Amino acid sequence: MRRAIIGLPVTVSSAILPDGLWGCYDAATEVILIDRRLTYTAKRCTLAHELLHWRHGDTGCANNSSKVEIRTRRQTARLLIDPAELALAERMYDDDLWSIADELNVTTQVLTDYQAMLNTSRIKERFFINA
């Protein structure tokens, strides 16, 4: 996982973070902290998420409904989920979100973010096609 950041001007470290906080990015120090108690998959998803905050120059923690956080969650899902692999996993596991997420090596949150993004796109397509 750390190989992904070699050469980038950002430092990634692990720490025990307050309950409920998986990771955070501090723009002032260009440091990403990831909770060391997480599973490998959760660390992978959190690192991708926090690197996107870094790339966009975001400056702190926002609530889950902020535009910045929604953008970052969607981009994380697009980055980590391959549509062809998702289609195959959905055929293999029907509606079992946990098994699908496990097969794709992502958290269920990343998977549900991706599915929500797909549903939003489908709704927009229907609206514009029927308009």
Side-chain angles (χ1 to χ4, degrees):
M1 189 166 65
R2 292 190 188 270
R3 280 185 254 141
I5 59 155
I6 291 175
L8 295 179
V10 63
T11 301
V12 177
S13 295
S14 63
I16 295 182
L17 299 179
D19 287 340
L21 188 62
W22 287 19
C24 60
Y25 167 64
D26 179 22
T29 59
E30 291 197 323
V31 171
I32 293 172
L33 291 177
I34 297 176
D35 193 309
R36 68 174 47 148
R37 298 168 292 187
L38 298 176
T39 65
Y40 172 81
T41 296
K43 288 177 183 177
R44 175 180 176 264
C45 294
T46 303
L47 177 59
H49 180 97
E50 298 304 332
L51 283 170
L52 286 165
H53 279 305
W54 167 76
R55 188 176 99 196
H56 287 290
D58 299 337
T59 57
C61 296
N63 63 42
N64 281 339
S65 60
S66 75
K67 288 182 181 181
V68 166
E69 195 61 21
I70 290 168
R71 176 206 66 211
T72 304
R73 287 173 57 171
R74 287 179 179 168
Q75 288 179 350
T76 301
R78 275 196 298 262
L79 177 69
L80 296 177
I81 294 180
D82 178 275
E85 290 178 9
L86 173 61
L88 179 61
E90 286 176 332
R91 284 194 297 276
M92 290 170 48
Y93 299 109
D94 295 322
D95 292 328
D96 183 353
L97 286 179
W98 191 92
S99 294
I100 294 169
D102 187 54
E103 181 72 23
L104 300 174
N105 196 25
V106 297
T107 62
T108 55
Q109 181 65 61
V110 170
L111 177 59
T112 56
D113 288 344
Y114 191 88
Q115 290 174 328
M117 198 173 46
L118 288 179
N119 289 336
T120 302
S121 296
R122 289 177 185 141
I123 290 168
K124 287 179 182 177
E125 286 174 12
R126 285 188 205 135
F127 175 76
F128 289 114
I129 290 171
N130 294 330

